[in-house]
Amino acid sequence: MSVKIRLKRIGKKHKPIYHIVVADSRSPRDGKFIEKLGIYNPHTDPPSTVLKMQNAVSWLMKGAQPTETVKSIFSKNGVLLKKHLLEGVKKGVFTDEEAHKKFQIWNKKYNKVHPS
């Protein structure tokens, strides 16, 4: 089974809001999904995102493939960086404390607020 992380459209006509979901790649866009990871609202300025970061990283580590849009959202919110750092820890490149410190530096630089 191929698993994708993609957007599920909700909201009114001409005012879409999207759920970020983990779904089987064969299921329809607004169909059945495995887990909801967050919400993306493109109508606010800047676009707002609410994410369950640990769950998103967990699915990426298991091999789920994000769509291009979700990959962009994850990149802006630090999910891909967190995954990259955890893979470095797993391979023994650096320790968990160093990875945590690097992620905190990134958070301060880009003024992101994420629970660690």
Side-chain angles (χ1 to χ4, degrees):
M1 177 171 79
S2 178
V3 178
K4 291 268 192 188
I5 302 175
R6 62 184 181 200
L7 299 177
K8 177 180 179 179
R9 186 180 174 173
I10 59 170
K12 298 180 186 179
K13 287 183 187 176
H14 308 292
K15 299 262 185 194
I17 297 175
Y18 300 93
H19 283 173
I20 301 169
V21 298
V22 178
D24 182 1
S25 63
R26 297 170 292 183
S27 65
R29 178 191 73 179
D30 297 335
K32 190 168 69 170
F33 61 91
I34 300 168
E35 182 180 357
K36 178 180 159 189
L37 298 178
I39 298 173
Y40 171 65
N41 184 356
H43 293 290
T44 59
D45 188 32
S48 62
T49 307
V50 178
L51 276 175
K52 297 178 189 172
M53 180 175 273
Q54 293 298 332
N55 294 2
V57 171
S58 171
W59 277 105
L60 289 172
M61 296 293 276
K62 291 175 189 173
Q65 295 297 312
T67 60
E68 289 297 317
T69 307
V70 173
K71 193 173 188 179
S72 174
I73 292 167
F74 280 0
S75 178
K76 291 174 185 170
N77 286 285
V79 175
L80 295 180
L81 175 66
K82 186 90 167 175
K83 176 190 176 263
H84 176 74
L85 293 172
L86 288 177
E87 285 177 347
V89 169
K90 191 169 145 181
K91 291 179 181 177
V93 177
F94 41 80
T95 65
D96 195 33
E97 293 81 27
E98 290 172 340
H100 183 69
K101 187 183 284 185
K102 287 181 182 190
F103 189 72
Q104 292 302 324
I105 290 169
W106 182 86
N107 269 344
K108 287 179 185 176
K109 184 175 180 181
Y110 294 103
N111 296 323
K112 303 285 182 182
V113 179
H114 293 293
S116 297

